[in-house]
Coordinates of all heavy atoms in Angstrom, one line a residue:
M1 N 14.5 -16.9 33.0 CA 15.2 -16.1 34.0 C 15.3 -14.7 33.6 O 15.0 -13.8 34.4 CB 16.6 -16.7 34.2 CG 17.5 -15.9 35.0 SD 17.7 -16.6 36.6 CE 18.7 -15.5 37.4
F2 N 15.6 -14.4 32.3 CA 15.7 -13.0 31.9 C 14.4 -12.4 31.7 O 14.3 -11.1 31.6 CB 16.5 -12.9 30.6 CG 18.0 -13.4 30.8 CD1 18.4 -14.6 30.3 CD2 18.8 -12.6 31.5 CE1 19.7 -15.0 30.5 CE2 20.2 -13.0 31.7 CZ 20.6 -14.2 31.2
G3 N 13.3 -13.1 31.7 CA 12.0 -12.6 31.5 C 11.4 -12.0 32.8 O 10.4 -11.4 32.8
L4 N 12.2 -12.2 33.9 CA 11.7 -11.7 35.2 C 11.6 -10.2 35.2 O 10.7 -9.6 35.8 CB 12.7 -12.1 36.3 CG 12.5 -13.5 37.0 CD1 13.6 -13.7 38.0 CD2 11.1 -13.5 37.7
F5 N 12.5 -9.5 34.6 CA 12.6 -8.1 34.7 C 12.0 -7.4 33.4 O 12.1 -6.2 33.3 CB 14.0 -7.6 35.0 CG 14.5 -8.2 36.2 CD1 15.5 -9.2 36.2 CD2 14.1 -7.8 37.5 CE1 16.0 -9.8 37.4 CE2 14.5 -8.4 38.6 CZ 15.5 -9.3 38.6
K6 N 11.4 -8.2 32.6 CA 10.9 -7.6 31.3 C 9.5 -7.0 31.7 O 8.7 -7.5 32.3 CB 10.7 -8.7 30.3 CG 10.1 -8.3 29.0 CD 9.8 -9.4 28.1 CE 9.1 -8.9 26.9 NZ 8.6 -10.0 26.1
K7 N 9.4 -5.7 31.3 CA 8.1 -5.0 31.5 C 7.1 -5.4 30.4 O 7.5 -5.6 29.2 CB 8.4 -3.5 31.4 CG 9.2 -3.0 32.5 CD 9.2 -1.5 32.6 CE 10.0 -1.0 33.7 NZ 9.4 0.1 34.4
T8 N 5.9 -5.6 30.8 CA 4.9 -5.9 29.9 C 4.4 -4.6 29.2 O 4.2 -3.6 29.9 CB 3.7 -6.6 30.5 OG1 3.2 -5.8 31.6 CG2 4.1 -8.0 31.1
S9 N 4.2 -4.7 28.0 CA 3.7 -3.5 27.2 C 2.2 -3.3 27.5 O 1.5 -4.1 28.0 CB 3.9 -3.7 25.7 OG 3.1 -4.7 25.2
E10 N 1.8 -2.1 27.2 CA 0.4 -1.7 27.3 C -0.5 -2.7 26.5 O -1.6 -3.1 27.0 CB 0.1 -0.3 27.0 CG -1.3 0.2 27.3 CD -1.5 1.6 27.0 OE1 -0.6 2.3 26.6 OE2 -2.6 2.1 27.2
V11 N -0.1 -3.0 25.3 CA -0.9 -3.9 24.5 C -1.0 -5.3 25.1 O -2.1 -5.8 25.1 CB -0.2 -4.0 23.1 CG1 -0.9 -5.1 22.3 CG2 -0.2 -2.7 22.4
D12 N 0.0 -5.8 25.8 CA 0.0 -7.1 26.4 C -1.0 -7.0 27.6 O -1.8 -8.0 27.8 CB 1.3 -7.5 26.9 CG 2.3 -7.9 25.8 OD1 1.8 -8.2 24.7 OD2 3.5 -7.8 26.0
K13 N -1.0 -5.9 28.4 CA -1.9 -5.8 29.5 C -3.4 -5.7 29.0 O -4.3 -6.4 29.5 CB -1.6 -4.5 30.3 CG -0.3 -4.6 31.0 CD 0.0 -3.3 31.7 CE 1.4 -3.3 32.4 NZ 1.7 -2.0 33.0
L14 N -3.6 -4.9 27.9 CA -4.9 -4.8 27.4 C -5.4 -6.1 26.8 O -6.6 -6.5 26.9 CB -5.0 -3.7 26.3 CG -4.8 -2.3 26.8 CD1 -4.7 -1.3 25.7 CD2 -6.0 -1.9 27.7
Q15 N -4.5 -6.9 26.2 CA -4.8 -8.2 25.6 C -5.3 -9.1 26.7 O -6.3 -9.9 26.5 CB -3.6 -8.8 24.9 CG -3.9 -10.0 24.1 CD -4.9 -9.9 23.0 OE1 -4.9 -8.8 22.3 NE2 -5.7 -10.9 22.7
K16 N -4.6 -9.1 27.8 CA -5.1 -10.0 28.9 C -6.4 -9.6 29.5 O -7.3 -10.5 29.8 CB -4.0 -10.0 30.1 CG -2.8 -10.7 29.7 CD -1.8 -10.8 30.9 CE -0.6 -11.6 30.5 NZ 0.3 -11.8 31.6
Q17 N -6.7 -8.3 29.6 CA -8.0 -7.8 30.0 C -9.1 -8.2 29.0 O -10.1 -8.7 29.4 CB -8.0 -6.3 30.1 CG -7.4 -5.7 31.3 CD -7.5 -4.2 31.4 OE1 -7.5 -3.5 30.3 NE2 -7.7 -3.6 32.5
Y18 N -8.7 -8.1 27.7 CA -9.7 -8.5 26.7 C -10.0 -10.0 26.8 O -11.2 -10.4 26.7 CB -9.1 -8.2 25.3 CG -9.9 -8.6 24.2 CD1 -11.1 -7.9 23.8 CD2 -9.6 -9.8 23.4 CE1 -11.9 -8.3 22.7 CE2 -10.4 -10.2 22.4 CZ -11.5 -9.5 22.0 OH -12.3 -9.9 21.0
E19 N -9.0 -10.8 26.9 CA -9.2 -12.3 27.0 C -10.1 -12.6 28.3 O -11.0 -13.5 28.2 CB -7.9 -13.0 27.1 CG -7.2 -13.0 25.8 CD -5.8 -13.5 25.8 OE1 -5.4 -14.0 26.9 OE2 -5.1 -13.4 24.8
K20 N -9.9 -11.9 29.4 CA -10.6 -12.2 30.6 C -12.1 -11.8 30.4 O -13.0 -12.5 30.7 CB -10.1 -11.4 31.8 CG -10.8 -11.7 33.1 CD -10.2 -10.9 34.2 CE -11.0 -11.1 35.5 NZ -12.4 -10.9 35.5
L21 N -12.3 -10.6 29.8 CA -13.7 -10.1 29.5 C -14.4 -11.1 28.6 O -15.6 -11.3 28.7 CB -13.7 -8.7 29.0 CG -13.3 -7.6 30.0 CD1 -13.1 -6.3 29.3 CD2 -14.5 -7.5 31.0
M22 N -13.7 -11.6 27.6 CA -14.4 -12.5 26.6 C -14.7 -13.8 27.3 O -15.8 -14.4 27.0 CB -13.5 -12.7 25.4 CG -13.4 -11.4 24.5 SD -14.9 -10.8 23.9 CE -15.4 -12.0 22.7
A23 N -13.9 -14.3 28.2 CA -14.2 -15.5 28.9 C -15.4 -15.3 29.8 O -16.3 -16.1 29.8 CB -13.0 -15.9 29.7
D24 N -15.5 -14.1 30.5 CA -16.6 -13.8 31.3 C -17.9 -13.7 30.4 O -19.0 -14.1 30.8 CB -16.4 -12.5 32.0 CG -15.4 -12.6 33.1 OD1 -15.0 -13.7 33.5 OD2 -14.9 -11.5 33.6
W25 N -17.7 -13.0 29.3 CA -18.9 -12.9 28.4 C -19.4 -14.2 27.9 O -20.6 -14.5 28.0 CB -18.4 -12.1 27.1 CG -19.3 -12.2 26.0 CD1 -20.6 -11.6 25.8 CD2 -19.2 -13.0 24.8 NE1 -21.1 -12.0 24.6 CE2 -20.3 -12.8 24.0 CE3 -18.1 -13.8 24.3 CZ2 -20.4 -13.4 22.7 CZ3 -18.3 -14.4 23.1 CH2 -19.4 -14.2 22.3
H26 N -18.5 -15.1 27.6 CA -18.9 -16.5 27.2 C -19.6 -17.2 28.3 O -20.7 -17.9 28.1 CB -17.7 -17.3 26.7 CG -18.1 -18.5 26.0 ND1 -18.2 -19.7 26.8 CD2 -18.5 -18.9 24.8 CE1 -18.6 -20.7 25.9 NE2 -18.7 -20.2 24.7
R27 N -19.1 -17.1 29.5 CA -19.7 -17.8 30.7 C -21.1 -17.2 31.0 O -22.0 -18.0 31.2 CB -18.8 -17.6 31.9 CG -19.2 -18.3 33.1 CD -18.3 -18.2 34.3 NE -17.8 -16.8 34.5 CZ -18.5 -15.9 35.1 NH1 -19.7 -16.1 35.6 NH2 -17.9 -14.7 35.2
L28 N -21.2 -15.9 30.9 CA -22.5 -15.3 31.2 C -23.5 -15.4 30.1 O -24.7 -15.2 30.4 CB -22.3 -13.8 31.5 CG -21.6 -13.5 32.9 CD1 -21.2 -12.0 32.9 CD2 -22.5 -13.8 34.0
S29 N -23.1 -15.7 28.9 CA -24.0 -15.7 27.8 C -25.2 -16.7 28.0 O -26.2 -16.6 27.4 CB -23.3 -16.0 26.5 OG -22.8 -17.3 26.5
T30 N -25.0 -17.7 28.8 CA -26.0 -18.7 29.0 C -26.9 -18.4 30.2 O -27.9 -19.0 30.3 CB -25.4 -20.1 29.1 OG1 -24.5 -20.1 30.3 CG2 -24.7 -20.5 27.9
T31 N -26.4 -17.5 31.1 CA -27.2 -17.3 32.3 C -27.8 -15.9 32.5 O -28.9 -15.8 32.9 CB -26.3 -17.6 33.6 OG1 -25.2 -16.8 33.5 CG2 -25.9 -19.1 33.6
N32 N -27.0 -14.9 32.1 CA -27.4 -13.5 32.3 C -27.1 -12.7 31.1 O -26.0 -12.2 30.9 CB -26.7 -13.0 33.5 CG -27.3 -11.6 34.0 OD1 -28.0 -11.0 33.2 ND2 -27.0 -11.3 35.2
R33 N -28.1 -12.5 30.2 CA -27.8 -11.9 28.9 C -27.4 -10.4 29.1 O -26.5 -9.9 28.4 CB -29.1 -12.0 28.1 CG -29.0 -11.5 26.7 CD -27.9 -12.3 25.9 NE -27.7 -11.7 24.6 CZ -27.2 -12.3 23.6 NH1 -26.8 -13.6 23.8 NH2 -27.0 -11.7 22.5
A34 N -28.0 -9.7 30.0 CA -27.7 -8.3 30.2 C -26.2 -8.1 30.7 O -25.5 -7.3 30.1 CB -28.6 -7.6 31.2
E35 N -25.8 -8.9 31.6 CA -24.4 -8.8 32.1 C -23.5 -9.2 31.0 O -22.4 -8.7 30.8 CB -24.2 -9.6 33.3 CG -24.7 -9.0 34.6 CD -24.1 -7.7 34.9 OE1 -22.8 -7.6 34.9 OE2 -24.8 -6.8 35.3
S36 N -23.9 -10.2 30.2 CA -23.1 -10.7 29.1 C -22.9 -9.6 28.1 O -21.7 -9.4 27.6 CB -23.8 -11.9 28.4 OG -23.2 -12.3 27.2
D37 N -23.9 -8.9 27.8 CA -23.8 -7.8 26.8 C -22.8 -6.7 27.3 O -22.1 -6.1 26.6 CB -25.2 -7.2 26.5 CG -26.0 -8.1 25.7 OD1 -25.5 -9.1 25.1 OD2 -27.2 -7.9 25.6
K38 N -22.9 -6.4 28.6 CA -22.0 -5.4 29.2 C -20.5 -5.8 29.1 O -19.7 -5.0 28.7 CB -22.3 -5.2 30.7 CG -23.6 -4.4 31.0 CD -23.8 -4.3 32.4 CE -25.2 -3.7 32.7 NZ -25.4 -3.6 34.2
K39 N -20.3 -7.1 29.4 CA -18.9 -7.6 29.3 C -18.4 -7.5 27.8 O -17.3 -7.2 27.5 CB -18.8 -9.1 29.7 CG -19.0 -9.2 31.2 CD -17.9 -8.7 32.1 CE -18.2 -8.9 33.5 NZ -17.2 -8.4 34.4
Y40 N -19.3 -7.9 26.9 CA -18.9 -7.8 25.5 C -18.6 -6.4 25.1 O -17.6 -6.1 24.3 CB -20.0 -8.4 24.6 CG -19.6 -8.5 23.2 CD1 -18.8 -9.6 22.7 CD2 -20.0 -7.6 22.2 CE1 -18.5 -9.7 21.4 CE2 -19.7 -7.7 20.9 CZ -18.9 -8.8 20.5 OH -18.5 -8.9 19.2
S41 N -19.4 -5.4 25.5 CA -19.2 -4.0 25.2 C -17.8 -3.5 25.8 O -17.1 -2.8 25.1 CB -20.3 -3.2 25.8 OG -20.1 -1.8 25.6
E42 N -17.5 -3.9 27.0 CA -16.2 -3.5 27.6 C -15.1 -4.1 26.8 O -14.1 -3.5 26.5 CB -16.2 -4.0 29.0 CG -17.0 -3.3 30.0 CD -17.0 -3.9 31.4 OE1 -15.9 -4.3 31.8 OE2 -18.0 -3.9 32.1
A43 N -15.2 -5.4 26.4 CA -14.2 -6.1 25.6 C -14.0 -5.4 24.3 O -12.9 -5.2 23.8 CB -14.6 -7.5 25.4
Q44 N -15.1 -4.9 23.6 CA -14.9 -4.2 22.4 C -14.2 -2.9 22.5 O -13.4 -2.5 21.7 CB -16.3 -4.0 21.7 CG -16.9 -5.3 21.1 CD -16.0 -5.9 20.1 OE1 -15.4 -6.9 20.3 NE2 -15.8 -5.2 19.0
K45 N -14.5 -2.2 23.6 CA -13.8 -0.9 23.9 C -12.3 -1.2 24.0 O -11.4 -0.4 23.5 CB -14.3 -0.2 25.1 CG -15.7 0.3 24.9 CD -16.2 0.9 26.1 CE -17.7 1.4 25.9 NZ -18.2 1.9 27.2
I46 N -11.9 -2.2 24.7 CA -10.5 -2.6 24.9 C -9.9 -3.0 23.6 O -8.7 -2.6 23.3 CB -10.3 -3.7 26.0 CG1 -10.7 -3.1 27.4 CG2 -8.9 -4.2 26.0 CD1 -10.6 -4.0 28.5
L47 N -10.6 -3.7 22.8 CA -10.1 -4.1 21.5 C -9.8 -2.9 20.6 O -8.8 -2.8 19.9 CB -11.1 -5.1 20.8 CG -10.6 -5.7 19.5 CD1 -9.3 -6.5 19.7 CD2 -11.7 -6.5 18.9
D48 N -10.7 -1.9 20.7 CA -10.5 -0.7 19.9 C -9.3 0.0 20.4 O -8.5 0.6 19.5 CB -11.7 0.2 20.1 CG -13.0 -0.3 19.4 OD1 -12.8 -1.2 18.5 OD2 -14.1 0.2 19.7
R49 N -9.0 0.1 21.7 CA -7.8 0.7 22.2 C -6.5 0.0 21.7 O -5.5 0.6 21.4 CB -7.8 0.7 23.7 CG -8.8 1.8 24.3 CD -8.8 1.8 25.8 NE -7.6 2.0 26.4 CZ -7.3 1.7 27.7 NH1 -8.3 1.3 28.4 NH2 -6.1 1.9 28.2
I50 N -6.6 -1.4 21.7 CA -5.5 -2.2 21.2 C -5.2 -1.8 19.8 O -4.0 -1.6 19.4 CB -5.7 -3.7 21.4 CG1 -5.8 -4.0 22.9 CG2 -4.7 -4.5 20.7 CD1 -6.2 -5.5 23.2
E51 N -6.2 -1.8 19.0 CA -6.0 -1.5 17.5 C -5.5 -0.1 17.3 O -4.6 0.1 16.5 CB -7.3 -1.7 16.8 CG -7.7 -3.2 16.7 CD -9.1 -3.4 16.1 OE1 -9.8 -2.4 15.8 OE2 -9.4 -4.6 15.9
A52 N -6.0 0.9 18.1 CA -5.5 2.2 18.0 C -4.0 2.3 18.4 O -3.2 3.0 17.7 CB -6.3 3.2 18.9
I53 N -3.6 1.6 19.4 CA -2.2 1.6 19.8 C -1.3 1.0 18.7 O -0.3 1.5 18.4 CB -2.0 0.9 21.1 CG1 -2.6 1.7 22.2 CG2 -0.5 0.6 21.4 CD1 -2.7 1.0 23.6
K54 N -1.8 -0.1 18.1 CA -1.0 -0.8 17.1 C -0.9 0.1 15.8 O 0.1 0.1 15.2 CB -1.7 -2.1 16.7 CG -1.5 -3.2 17.8 CD -2.0 -4.5 17.3 CE -1.8 -5.6 18.4 NZ -2.3 -6.9 18.0
V55 N -1.9 0.9 15.5 CA -1.9 1.8 14.3 C -0.9 2.9 14.6 O -0.1 3.3 13.7 CB -3.3 2.3 14.0 CG1 -3.2 3.5 13.1 CG2 -4.2 1.2 13.5
D56 N -0.9 3.4 15.8 CA 0.1 4.5 16.2 C 1.5 4.0 16.2 O 2.4 4.8 15.8 CB -0.3 5.0 17.6 CG -1.6 5.8 17.6 OD1 -2.0 6.3 16.5 OD2 -2.1 6.0 18.7
T57 N 1.8 2.8 16.5 CA 3.2 2.3 16.5 C 3.7 1.9 15.1 O 4.9 1.8 14.9 CB 3.3 1.1 17.4 OG1 2.5 0.1 17.0 CG2 3.0 1.5 18.9
V58 N 2.8 1.7 14.2 CA 3.2 1.3 12.8 C 3.6 2.5 12.0 O 3.9 3.4 12.0 CB 2.1 0.6 12.1 CG1 2.5 0.3 10.7 CG2 1.8 -0.7 12.8

């Protein structure tokens, strides 16, 4: 109940995006290698942003 008004942090949002891209990457890896590589590249960029944010907060 109290979680209703809790704001999600930027890291949480990026983590969800990363997980979605990795799922897409895995699904596409067997059918379309070029699109799979694009999804993986996007996921890596998001992961880099997550790590940068975590370093800045520490």
Side-chain angles (χ1 to χ4, degrees):
M1 169 110 181
F2 294 108
L4 272 176
F5 302 108
K6 179 182 173 191
K7 293 190 180 222
T8 56
S9 69
E10 185 177 0
V11 173
D12 291 337
K13 291 177 187 177
L14 290 173
Q15 185 67 32
K16 286 185 180 184
Q17 281 183 325
Y18 176 76
E19 290 172 4
K20 182 183 180 303
L21 286 170
M22 290 304 285
D24 290 345
W25 164 73
H26 188 270
R27 182 179 47 81
L28 288 169
S29 66
T30 58
T31 57
N32 189 344
R33 186 64 187 199
E35 285 297 316
S36 171
D37 290 344
K38 286 180 187 176
K39 294 290 182 180
Y40 187 79
S41 175
E42 290 176 37
Q44 284 303 111
K45 289 178 185 176
I46 290 176
L47 185 61
D48 292 341
R49 286 178 54 198
I50 290 171
E51 290 175 355
I53 290 170
K54 285 184 178 180
V55 167
D56 289 341
T57 59
V58 172

